Amino acid sequence: MTEEEHQRRPETPSDRIRKAFEVEFERFSDSPGSLPEGEKELRELQELRIKFLGKKSELAAQKKMIGSVDPKRRRDFALIFQNLEQDITRRIDEKELRLRTFVLRVRTERESIDVTMPGRRPRPGHLHPITLMRERIEDIFVSLGYAVEDDREIETDFYNFDALNIPEGHPARDPQDTFYTTDGFALRSQTSTVQIHAMQRRGAPIRMIAPGRVFRRDTPDPTHNPMFFQVEGLCVDRGITMAHLKGTLAELVHRLFGPETRTRFRPSYFPFTEPSAEVDYSCFNCGGKGCRICKGSGWIELGGSGMVHPNVLRAANVNPEEFTGFAFGLGIDRTCARIYQLDDIRLLFENDVRFLEQFR
Ligand code: DAH
């Protein structure tokens, strides 16, 4: 057949099928734009295969007619559809292979890990500087045989004041003014409350510390915050004297700041101790010569202390004729601020991680 003859030849069923296939096959690409597109083309290619080669395809219908064709033309007729079937099958198979290769490659790329990429390091948390300080103090006292008491932050006036020998109207209530609930409870203004609870619960002899949160109606400024942390200490036994108090606090500062650290006791007044003393320790930075940290004095204030007042023992049902004891109260955050040279104590409570991260 010449080209011209071919053009003029009427369209045969085989031509029609081939044409229809070409029209539909055209839209399949070799490299789809994305993984979902590739997967979609693969699915549609299967549909195309069924449409043109399946049992219900026109090709199948034509093949069924082979038997009824004039035996002289039967061979040619069969050959035409056999060729057509082979062509379509080959075209679809090739396309399918390309698409499968593409989908597999993209999936593998997506799932593979680039080991040269910089990692995203999980940032481990760490303890708050106040917690670190509290734990150091706890460890020291536990090693000295003290129990660690944890107690309530909401109190009655009895525990916060009366039992601590601060009756109503006593001027010592003023600087310890706190926050009250509408039904008469108070946020404790000192951890000294735990002395009473612990003695009521466990009697004497007793050795305990009570770290915890306290509250005062102070206006926040660089050295004050309405909420802060203290550690209370209490040791009650037969024959306890001021010497035991001094020895214990000397041991504390030796372990916290080094064995060369000295202590100094200044006479003072607290309602719940008699006699009472403020405790200072020699500056950990300059050793007592005077520097910026100790504001030139060579000494840093640790807290208050004294011999437990007999009224306090009585309020907790401990017989002051039989037992004596010492007590002390230290500021945890104050000590923290001093050690880390913070010029504003409130930084410890703002919980800005960029700040806190510096102290681990
Ligand atoms: N409770 C006192 C305060 O908050 C501190 C204190 C002083 C506690 C002397 C004591 C002590 O146990 O003996 O200021």
Side-chain angles (χ1 to χ4, degrees):
M1 246 193 288
T2 66
E3 189 61 28
E4 203 177 331
E5 276 169 337
H6 192 95
Q7 295 280 312
R8 263 185 285 125
R9 189 172 57 91
E11 193 180 61
T12 65
S14 135
D15 292 337
R16 203 172 53 240
I17 295 172
R18 196 181 285 278
K19 221 189 236 167
F21 172 74
E22 292 300 342
V23 167
E24 292 209 31
F25 188 69
E26 204 181 44
R27 67 190 160 88
F28 289 91
S29 56
D30 280 345
S31 51
S34 69
L35 182 60
E37 269 173 51
E39 287 166 337
K40 182 161 163 270
E41 284 195 31
L42 257 179
R43 277 195 306 276
E44 289 172 356
L45 194 64
Q46 293 314 319
E47 287 161 17
L48 195 75
R49 187 190 289 277
I50 292 165
K51 182 170 178 188
F52 283 92
L53 300 172
K55 283 198 204 95
K56 291 182 193 151
S57 63
E58 197 181 343
L59 184 68
Q62 294 289 341
K63 275 164 66 187
K64 275 195 202 120
M65 285 159 59
I66 292 177
S68 56
V69 169
D70 173 3
K72 276 188 264 164
R73 287 181 50 224
R74 194 177 289 162
R75 208 186 103 86
D76 285 348
F77 185 91
L79 216 59
I80 286 173
F81 287 103
Q82 205 180 354
N83 284 340
L84 181 60
E85 186 171 30
Q86 277 173 2
D87 281 354
I88 293 179
T89 308
R90 183 179 44 78
R91 302 280 300 278
I92 292 180
D93 284 352
E94 280 173 11
K95 184 67 76 181
E96 187 181 335
L97 186 67
R98 289 220 181 87
L99 286 172
R100 279 203 189 289
T101 310
F102 167 81
V103 166
L104 201 71
R105 180 173 57 78
V106 177
R107 276 200 198 133
T108 316
E109 269 169 16
R110 180 192 282 189
E111 283 160 20
S112 67
I113 299 166
D114 180 356
V115 291
T116 64
M117 280 232 300
R120 249 178 290 153
R121 191 192 298 265
R123 291 205 301 171
H126 58 91
L127 295 176
H128 192 284
I130 292 179
T131 308
L132 291 172
M133 191 68 201
R134 191 198 76 210
E135 290 189 342
R136 280 176 69 190
I137 296 172
E138 282 177 3
D139 284 351
I140 294 169
F141 279 104
V142 165
S143 82
L144 296 175
Y146 282 66
V148 179
E149 290 278 347
D150 189 20
D151 222 298
R152 65 212 80 183
E153 291 170 5
I154 300 177
E155 276 294 359
T156 58
D157 261 5
F158 174 77
Y159 286 97
N160 201 50
F161 294 124
D162 300 82
L164 290 165
N165 203 29
I166 317 174
E168 199 165 354
H170 194 290
R173 286 199 179 199
D174 263 7
Q176 297 232 3
D177 197 13
T178 178
F179 304 93
Y180 288 89
T181 69
T182 45
D183 35 12
F185 290 102
L187 297 185
R188 68 179 177 192
S189 59
Q190 46 188 339
T191 46
S192 306
T193 54
V194 188
Q195 291 187 24
I196 310 298
H197 287 296
M199 281 192 284
Q200 283 181 338
R201 230 183 353 252
R202 304 180 17 190
I206 188 171
R207 258 181 291 178
M208 66 97 193
I209 59 164
R213 221 182 274 272
V214 298
F215 307 84
R216 292 204 192 157
R217 260 171 66 167
D218 282 337
T219 309
D221 69 25
T223 54
H224 293 88
N225 197 59
M227 186 278 302
F228 57 102
F229 289 83
Q230 292 186 328
V231 187
E232 192 75 13
L234 175 71
C235 171
V236 175
D237 207 334
R238 295 174 186 88
I240 294 292
T241 69
M242 194 97 182
H244 297 110
L245 168 64
K246 294 178 85 170
T248 304
L249 292 182
E251 182 66 16
L252 171 68
V253 297
H254 288 169
R255 298 227 207 149
L256 277 180
F257 305 113
E260 64 290 341
T261 315
R262 285 161 290 126
T263 48
R264 178 174 83 171
F265 288 74
R266 284 179 287 117
S268 184
Y269 171 77
F270 297 102
F272 31 84
T273 44
E274 180 60 37
S276 304
E278 301 266 4
V279 192
D280 302 330
Y281 59 95
S282 55
C283 177
F284 53 81
N285 186 51
C286 63
K289 286 197 240 10
C291 68
R292 210 178 78 84
I293 291 179
C294 56
K295 301 200 177 84
S297 76
W299 295 96
I300 299 175
E301 205 178 297
L302 183 66
S305 68
M307 300 305 293
V308 181
H309 197 289
N311 285 349
V312 174
L313 295 174
R314 266 185 222 110
N317 303 317
V318 171
N319 180 4
E321 303 300 327
E322 187 181 357
F323 291 101
T324 53
F326 66 78
F328 55 86
L330 324 171
I332 302 184
D333 19 37
R334 239 188 347 178
T335 307
C336 253
R338 207 56 96 106
I339 289 176
Y340 298 129
Q341 299 183 48
L342 311 179
D343 41 24
D344 195 327
I345 200 161
R346 291 170 297 184
L347 287 166
L348 287 169
F349 307 117
E350 280 167 3
N351 285 342
D352 183 336
V353 177
R354 291 167 304 179
F355 168 77
L356 294 175
E357 264 173 354
Q358 304 170 73
F359 316 104
R360 316 188 175 204

